[in-house]
Amino acid sequence: MSKPSIPKGTRDFAPQVMARRQWIFDTIRSSFARRGFQAIETPALENLSTLTGKYGEEGDQLIFKVLNNGDFLAKADGQVLDERDSKRLAFQISKKALRYDLTVPFARFVAMHRNELQLPFKRYQIQTVWRGDRPGRGRYQEFTQCDADIIGSEGLLNELELVELFHEALGDLGLPGVRIHMNDRRILAGFAASCGVSERLTDLTVAIDKFDKVGIEGVLRELETQSFSSEVQAAAGQLFAIKGAGTDAMVELEKTFDHPLISAGLADMRQLWNWAAQRGISSPELVFSPGLARGLDYYTGAIFEVRIEDSPVGSVCGGGRYADLTGIFGWKGVSGVGISFGADRIYDVLEHFDAFPDAAACATDVLVMHMGDATLDASLDAAARLRSSGRVVEMYPDSAKLKKQFKYADDRGIAWAVVIGEDEWASKKLTLRNMRTSEQLTLELEEAIKRLC
Amino acid sequence: MSKPSIPKGTRDFAPQVMARRQWIFDTIRSSFARRGFQAIETPALENLSTLTGKYGEEGDQLIFKVLNNGDFLAKADGQVLDERDSKRLAFQISKKALRYDLTVPFARFVAMHRNELQLPFKRYQIQTVWRGDRPGRGRYQEFTQCDADIIGSEGLLNELELVELFHEALGDLGLPGVRIHMNDRRILAGFAASCGVSERLTDLTVAIDKFDKVGIEGVLRELETQSFSSEVQAAAGQLFAIKGAGTDAMVELEKTFDHPLISAGLADMRQLWNWAAQRGISSPELVFSPGLARGLDYYTGAIFEVRIEDSPVGSVCGGGRYADLTGIFGWKGVSGVGISFGADRIYDVLEHFDAFPDAAACATDVLVMHMGDATLDASLDAAARLRSSGRVVEMYPDSAKLKKQFKYADDRGIAWAVVIGEDEWASKKLTLRNMRTSEQLTLELEEAIKRLC
C-alpha cells in the first residue's frame, strides 16, 4: 500500500476552500438566474468524435480519452498495434472522452435538442472541464467553467446583457479594478482587409492576440516571424498606438483606418458603449480595445475579455458573438453570443486581494456540548430548537471531557457553545458561552436564541 | 459530419429537468449544512492505483480508465502488446481513472489530509461518479451521489444524526412513504456465529442481501447454491419470519437467536430506536429489519437503507458504520459512519408520484417587451427595477413583432409581460399583462411592482 496521492494538475478542495468556491459559484449562478438564463448540464463523457477536430491539432492532443471497457484490443487494428502507433490506436481503443470545454457540448446539445428549445435560448452551465495541459502554477487538468450564452438572437441587446452580467456578477463578487475590454471581430477583419491580408486573418489574429503577454515588440516580432510585410507591421503599430479607451478611441480608429467592416464593427461598439453608459457602466470599467483579438476562431462579432487591475492572473472572463456555432453539428446559421467566467482565476484574485467576505465561510454557529446521559435529551432538544431558529448547530457526538469538546469548538472556529449541566437544567437554564471572549451567561433556551439573533 | 449523439448511459439535462435536480441537490445540501457538515470535493480523476482493488474484481472491470496522453505505447510492455492482453495493457497505458464512488476518494482524502482535520470530521460531498455498467432503465454510467459521513467518533449519536438527516431531508423533499430500515452488522455476524458459519459471513451476507429482490425462496435457493447446510437455511427462514418492525421484533429476535454479538448489536438498535422515537421518528417510518444486510464488506456496525412505499425504484438511500475505512490508505482504526442519497432515484420517485413542488421550476417571472427604440431605455430601466425587486426578468432582445414576443412568453411559461408603448409612456405608464388570463392593466412602474409582489 503506497502513500495516497492525486494526479498532478488535480486538486482536493478542503472545507474552507470549498466554501469559498461554492460562494463564487452561487454568486455567479444568481446573476445568471435573475436574468432568466436557464441551467443545463451535459455529460462529462462525450463521444470522442464529438470533440475531435474542434480545438485545433494541439487541442486534440490535450483531450483526455477514456479507454473502452472490456477487451478493448479485440477490435484494434493489428498493424497499428504492431507499429506501436499511439495516435491511431487511441481512436480504436477509446470511443469516449472527457469534456474539454462547455462550448462544443453546448453546440452539440442545441443541435440535438433543437425541436425542444424556444429561441432565443438563454442557458448557463457550470461544470468541470478536463485538459491534458502540463500542470503548473494556476494551470490545472481539471477545472470549472461558468458559461452563459444566448443563441437564436442577433440583437445587440444581448451583448449589452452580457456586459451587464460581467458588471453585476463581478461586482457581487467584490472584485476590485474590473476592466471589461471589448472589441469587434469585424474591426480586426477590416484591419486585415485594409492591409491587404484578409486571407491570413487567423494568423494575424493569433499574433495580435499575444499583445497582452508580449507587448507591441512581441507582436511585431511575431508578425515578422509569420512573414507579414513591414506595412502590416507598421499598421499593427498604429493599431496599438490608438489612445483612449472609449468613444475617443473609436474616433481615432476611424480616422486611422478606413474599411466598411471597421465601420460596421464600430457602429455596434458605439451603440453598446452608449447603452452601457446609460446603465452606469463606463470608463474606466468599460474599455474599448481595438487590438483585442481573442484566440478562438469562431467569433465573428463583438468580443470581450475581463481583466483585473494589479492582479497576478490574466483575464478572468471572456466571450463574444459567433455567427454559426451549431453548424458543425448540422444546424446552420444560428447566431449566438456567450461569455465564460473563470472561477478558478476569480478565486485566485480574491485570495490575492484578501477580499473574500465572511459569507464565504463554512462556520458552524453553535456547538451543543455532550454533558452525559442525564441532560442528553435536553441537549438534543436544544440543538433542534436552535437549528430551527436558523443557526448551524452541531451536537458533540461523544461523551468526552469538556476540555476536549471546547477544543473542538475552538479548532473549528465555532462562535458559541451551549452547555446544559444537570444542576442548571433543574431550573431549566443552560450556559451560553461566547467562545471568543469566554464570557458565559446562564439563560433559558429561548433567551439564548434571542441572544444569538 | 454525423448526427450528434451522446454515449449510452449518459444524459443531457435540459432546463426543466435541471431545475428539479438542482432543487433536490440544494435541499439535501441544506440538510447537511445546517448540522455543520462541511462540503469537500475531490477530483474526478484519481490515480488508477487508488481505485483498483477497492470494489471487488467486478468493480475493477467497471472503472473507467483514462488513456495516458502522448505516446502512451512507448512505455507499454512489448509482450503484453503482442499477446493482445487488454487487461494487463490497461494498467500500462492508463495511470488515471474516473471516480467510481465517493467513499474511496473520501478515505483517500482523509488519509492525505489527516493533519489538517479536526476530529470528529463531518463532511458532505455531492459529485458525479462513473461506472461502466451496462446502461439500462434507471441505470446510468454517469450519475450523482450525495454523501455525508462523520469520522473519528464512535458515539451512537452519530447514527441518530444520520437517521434524523434521512427524516429531515426526505421530508423536505416531500417524499411520501419513507421507510428507514435499520439493522446492525453484529446481528448478522452473531447470526452466522450461532449457525456455526462465521468464517463464511460474507457469502451469507451476500445471499441474505438479495431478500429484497428475490424474497425468502430466492434467499434459500442462493444459500443452497452456496452449499450452506439445511440448518443454516432453516435459521435464515426464522430470521426473515420475525414479525414486527420495532422493539417487538428486537424482543423476538433475542428469543430466537442467542449470541453475544446479537446482544451487542441489539443494545445499540434499542438505544437508537428510543432516541429516534423521542425525536418523532418511529414506526412506520423507522423499521428494524434484522434481515437487512447491505452488500458492502466494510460495514461493521449499524446499517441503513431507505425505501419508498409503492414506488418503482429500489432503495433511495443507504449507509452504515465502518470500523476502519482509511486503513487501506495507511491510517488505521478511524471509525466512521456515513450515508448516501441517490439523487437520480429520488428524482424518479418524485416524478412517479408527480410530487415536485413549484419551487423546483426555472420560471422567468416577467418578460419586458421590445417596443422599439423610442421606449427602449425605459424598458431596460423597468427590467432592471423589476429585477432589483426580486423577480426573474428577461428583456426581449430583438425588435420583433409583438405576436412573436408574446408567443415566446407563452412557450416559456412566463407569467407576466410588461409592455411600454410610446403613447402610454408619455404619461409614464406601462401595460402589465397577465399571460395566463390575458388581463391587462395600465399602471405606473411602482404600481406594477406592487402588483407582482
Side-chain angles (χ1 to χ4, degrees):
Chain A
M1 184 215 60
S2 58
K3 219 180 148 195
S5 65
I6 52 176
K8 272 184 192 163
T10 71
R11 292 163 292 171
D12 279 330
F13 298 115
Q16 294 304 330
V17 175
M18 190 61 209
R20 291 174 161 196
R21 286 175 63 84
Q22 198 64 52
W23 173 79
I24 290 174
F25 295 135
D26 287 347
T27 303
I28 294 172
R29 188 193 313 274
S30 298
S31 293
F32 291 161
R34 66 173 169 253
R35 292 179 168 274
F37 286 84
Q38 304 176 81
I40 69 159
E41 281 188 4
T42 60
L45 295 174
E46 292 275 355
N47 290 321
L48 179 54
S49 57
T50 298
L51 305 187
T52 305
K54 311 300 189 296
Y55 305 105
E57 196 165 338
E58 200 192 345
D60 277 356
Q61 298 304 312
L62 302 181
I63 295 172
F64 280 118
K65 297 159 193 79
V66 174
L67 204 53
N68 295 343
N69 277 337
D71 185 10
F72 55 87
L73 287 177
K75 286 185 187 163
D77 181 332
Q79 198 191 334
V80 169
L81 268 171
D82 293 339
E83 288 171 2
R84 308 288 191 256
D85 186 340
S86 294
K87 220 166 181 173
R88 282 174 64 202
L89 185 66
F91 290 90
Q92 302 183 355
I93 61 178
S94 60
K95 274 192 209 140
K96 291 189 269 263
L98 287 172
R99 186 167 53 213
Y100 182 86
D101 71 356
L102 301 180
T103 307
V104 169
F106 174 56
R108 194 265 311 140
F109 176 97
V110 169
M112 262 179 79
H113 300 272
R114 53 197 281 187
N115 296 327
E116 305 147 39
L117 301 178
Q118 284 92 36
L119 296 187
F121 178 52
K122 300 168 75 169
R123 88 84 172 77
Y124 74 87
Q125 195 169 351
I126 300 180
Q127 291 194 276
T128 310
V129 302
W130 292 266
R131 295 181 184 180
D133 274 314
R134 186 181 297 273
R137 204 183 125 75
R139 206 164 54 232
Y140 307 107
Q141 296 204 337
E142 178 173 334
F143 56 99
T144 307
Q145 290 191 332
C146 312
D147 281 20
D149 287 80
I150 307 148
I151 58 149
S153 167
E154 298 186 357
L156 195 65
L157 280 182
N158 296 298
E159 276 83 341
L160 174 65
E161 173 144 64
L162 297 181
V163 169
E164 288 187 83
L165 255 184
F166 285 140
H167 172 76
E168 288 170 12
L170 299 177
D172 289 349
L173 288 167
L175 283 180
V178 170
R179 298 290 178 268
I180 307 169
H181 294 262
M182 64 181 205
N183 192 19
D184 195 296
R185 267 295 174 97
R186 287 167 294 176
I187 290 174
L188 294 172
F191 169 74
S194 72
C195 297
V197 291
S198 284
E199 79 292 347
R200 296 195 61 199
L201 177 59
T202 300
D203 292 342
L204 185 68
T205 309
V206 167
I208 282 180
D209 200 35
K210 296 190 173 161
F211 175 75
D212 217 32
K213 279 179 193 145
V214 298
I216 181 64
E217 283 76 25
V219 171
L220 295 180
R221 247 192 329 269
E222 177 73 16
L223 290 171
E224 174 86 44
T225 310
Q226 294 280 330
S227 321
F228 280 102
S229 69
S230 55
E231 286 78 18
V232 175
Q233 295 177 43
Q238 281 181 293
L239 183 69
F240 284 106
I242 285 175
K243 286 191 185 58
T247 45
D248 47 348
M250 298 181 197
V251 170
E252 211 186 315
L253 177 70
E254 213 159 25
K255 272 197 261 171
T256 317
F257 301 99
D258 180 33
H259 193 275
L261 279 171
I262 294 184
S263 305
L266 269 178
D268 275 7
M269 287 289 103
R270 277 213 175 83
Q271 175 72 74
L272 193 51
W273 183 274
N274 291 334
W275 278 342
Q278 279 156 8
R279 316 247 76 74
I281 310 169
S282 61
S283 186
E285 186 182 1
L286 193 60
V287 187
F288 170 63
S289 299
L292 176 69
R294 300 286 303 159
L296 295 166
D297 252 3
Y298 51 73
Y299 292 127
T300 51
I303 46 179
F304 303 102
E305 191 164 290
V306 182
R307 302 176 201 144
I308 305 298
E309 288 273 287
D310 304 319
S311 91
V313 308
S315 60
V316 293
C317 306
R321 177 167 289 277
Y322 37 85
D324 183 28
L325 189 67
T326 57
I328 44 172
F329 296 113
W331 192 14
K332 292 202 188 298
V334 186
S335 182
V337 57
I339 56 176
S340 186
F341 288 75
D344 292 277
R345 287 189 171 181
I346 288 171
Y347 186 101
D348 291 345
V349 171
L350 287 170
E351 193 165 54
H352 173 77
F353 289 111
D354 196 12
F356 279 105
D358 291 343
C362 56
T364 289
D365 301 311
V366 185
L367 179 70
V368 178
M369 318 287 277
H370 193 311
M371 302 298 291
D373 286 349
T375 57
L376 185 56
D377 228 36
S379 301
L380 286 167
D381 283 344
R385 177 71 189 88
L386 282 159
R387 212 172 274 129
S388 71
S389 80
R391 317 303 303 201
V392 175
V393 182
E394 289 181 50
M395 167 85 206
Y396 196 86
D398 298 290
S399 175
K401 284 193 178 142
L402 261 192
K403 199 178 156 190
K404 188 176 176 187
Q405 299 188 40
F406 278 133
K407 182 175 184 312
Y408 173 81
D410 270 336
D411 289 347
R412 287 281 318 284
I414 298 174
W416 301 92
V418 162
V419 186
I420 306 188
E422 219 172 319
D423 292 345
E424 54 200 335
W425 194 243
S427 52
K428 296 287 167 203
K429 301 250 175 163
L430 52 76
T431 299
L432 179 68
R433 181 188 174 96
N434 181 323
M435 291 300 298
R436 267 147 221 169
T437 64
S438 299
E439 190 193 358
Q440 297 200 154
L441 292 168
T442 303
L443 300 165
E444 288 182 11
L445 176 58
E446 293 304 320
E447 291 170 338
I449 287 169
K450 272 184 207 139
R451 279 263 157 185
L452 293 174
C453 280
Chain B
M1 184 213 56
S2 59
K3 218 178 148 196
S5 65
I6 52 176
K8 272 184 192 162
T10 71
R11 294 163 288 173
D12 279 330
F13 298 115
Q16 295 302 332
V17 174
M18 190 59 209
R20 291 173 160 198
R21 286 175 64 84
Q22 197 65 52
W23 174 79
I24 290 174
F25 295 134
D26 287 346
T27 304
I28 295 172
R29 188 193 313 272
S30 297
S31 294
F32 292 159
R34 65 174 169 252
R35 291 178 167 273
F37 286 84
Q38 304 176 80
I40 68 159
E41 280 188 5
T42 59
L45 293 174
E46 292 273 356
N47 289 322
L48 179 54
S49 57
T50 297
L51 306 186
T52 305
K54 312 301 189 299
Y55 305 105
E57 197 166 338
E58 201 191 344
D60 277 357
Q61 298 304 312
L62 303 180
I63 293 171
F64 281 118
K65 297 160 194 77
V66 174
L67 204 53
N68 295 341
N69 277 336
D71 185 10
F72 55 87
L73 287 176
K75 286 184 187 166
D77 180 333
Q79 199 191 333
V80 169
L81 269 170
D82 292 338
E83 288 170 5
R84 308 289 191 256
D85 186 339
S86 292
K87 221 165 179 173
R88 283 174 64 202
L89 186 66
F91 289 90
Q92 302 183 354
I93 62 176
S94 60
K95 276 193 208 138
K96 290 188 271 260
L98 287 171
R99 189 167 51 213
Y100 183 85
D101 72 357
L102 301 181
T103 306
V104 169
F106 174 56
R108 195 264 314 140
F109 175 95
V110 169
M112 263 179 78
H113 301 271
R114 53 197 284 185
N115 296 325
E116 306 147 38
L117 301 178
Q118 284 92 36
L119 297 187
F121 178 51
K122 301 169 74 171
R123 87 87 171 76
Y124 75 86
Q125 196 169 349
I126 301 180
Q127 292 194 274
T128 310
V129 302
W130 293 266
R131 296 182 184 177
D133 273 314
R134 187 180 296 274
R137 202 183 126 76
R139 209 165 48 234
Y140 308 108
Q141 297 204 335
E142 179 172 334
F143 57 99
T144 307
Q145 289 192 332
C146 313
D147 281 21
D149 287 79
I150 307 149
I151 60 148
S153 167
E154 297 185 358
L156 196 65
L157 280 182
N158 297 299
E159 276 83 340
L160 174 66
E161 172 143 67
L162 298 180
V163 169
E164 288 188 82
L165 255 185
F166 285 141
H167 171 76
E168 289 171 10
L170 299 176
D172 289 350
L173 289 167
L175 283 180
V178 171
R179 297 293 178 266
I180 306 169
H181 294 262
M182 65 181 203
N183 193 18
D184 193 297
R185 267 293 173 100
R186 286 167 295 177
I187 290 173
L188 294 172
F191 170 74
S194 72
C195 297
V197 291
S198 284
E199 77 292 348
R200 296 194 62 201
L201 177 59
T202 300
D203 291 343
L204 186 69
T205 308
V206 168
I208 282 180
D209 200 36
K210 297 192 172 158
F211 175 76
D212 218 34
K213 280 180 192 145
V214 298
I216 182 62
E217 284 76 23
V219 171
L220 296 180
R221 246 192 327 271
E222 178 73 14
L223 289 171
E224 175 86 43
T225 311
Q226 295 279 330
S227 320
F228 281 101
S229 68
S230 55
E231 286 77 18
V232 175
Q233 295 177 40
Q238 283 181 290
L239 184 69
F240 284 105
I242 285 174
K243 286 191 183 62
T247 46
D248 47 348
M250 297 181 198
V251 170
E252 210 186 318
L253 177 69
E254 213 160 25
K255 273 196 265 174
T256 316
F257 301 99
D258 179 32
H259 194 276
L261 278 171
I262 294 184
S263 305
L266 270 177
D268 275 7
M269 288 287 103
R270 277 212 176 85
Q271 176 70 272
L272 193 52
W273 184 275
N274 291 334
W275 277 341
Q278 280 157 7
R279 315 248 75 74
I281 310 169
S282 61
S283 188
E285 184 181 3
L286 192 61
V287 188
F288 171 62
S289 299
L292 177 68
R294 301 286 302 159
L296 296 167
D297 252 2
Y298 52 74
Y299 291 128
T300 51
I303 46 179
F304 304 101
E305 192 164 289
V306 182
R307 303 176 200 141
I308 305 298
E309 288 273 287
D310 305 318
S311 91
V313 307
S315 61
V316 294
C317 307
R321 178 168 287 278
Y322 38 85
D324 183 29
L325 189 69
T326 56
I328 42 171
F329 296 113
W331 192 15
K332 292 204 189 297
V334 187
S335 183
V337 57
I339 56 176
S340 186
F341 288 76
D344 292 277
R345 287 188 171 181
I346 288 171
Y347 186 101
D348 291 345
V349 172
L350 287 169
E351 192 164 55
H352 173 76
F353 289 111
D354 195 14
F356 279 105
D358 291 343
C362 55
T364 289
D365 301 310
V366 185
L367 179 70
V368 177
M369 318 288 277
H370 193 311
M371 301 299 291
D373 286 347
T375 58
L376 185 57
D377 227 34
S379 300
L380 286 167
D381 283 344
R385 177 71 189 89
L386 283 159
R387 213 173 274 130
S388 70
S389 80
R391 318 301 304 200
V392 175
V393 182
E394 289 180 48
M395 166 87 207
Y396 197 87
D398 298 290
S399 176
K401 281 190 182 146
L402 260 193
K403 200 177 157 191
K404 187 177 177 188
Q405 298 189 42
F406 278 132
K407 182 174 182 317
Y408 173 80
D410 271 336
D411 289 347
R412 286 284 317 284
I414 298 174
W416 301 92
V418 163
V419 186
I420 306 188
E422 217 171 325
D423 291 345
E424 54 200 334
W425 193 244
S427 52
K428 295 288 167 202
K429 301 250 175 166
L430 53 76
T431 300
L432 180 67
R433 181 186 173 98
N434 182 323
M435 292 301 297
R436 267 146 223 169
T437 64
S438 297
E439 189 193 359
Q440 296 199 156
L441 291 168
T442 303
L443 299 165
E444 288 181 11
L445 176 58
E446 294 304 320
E447 291 171 339
I449 287 169
K450 272 185 206 138
R451 280 264 157 187
L452 293 175
C453 280

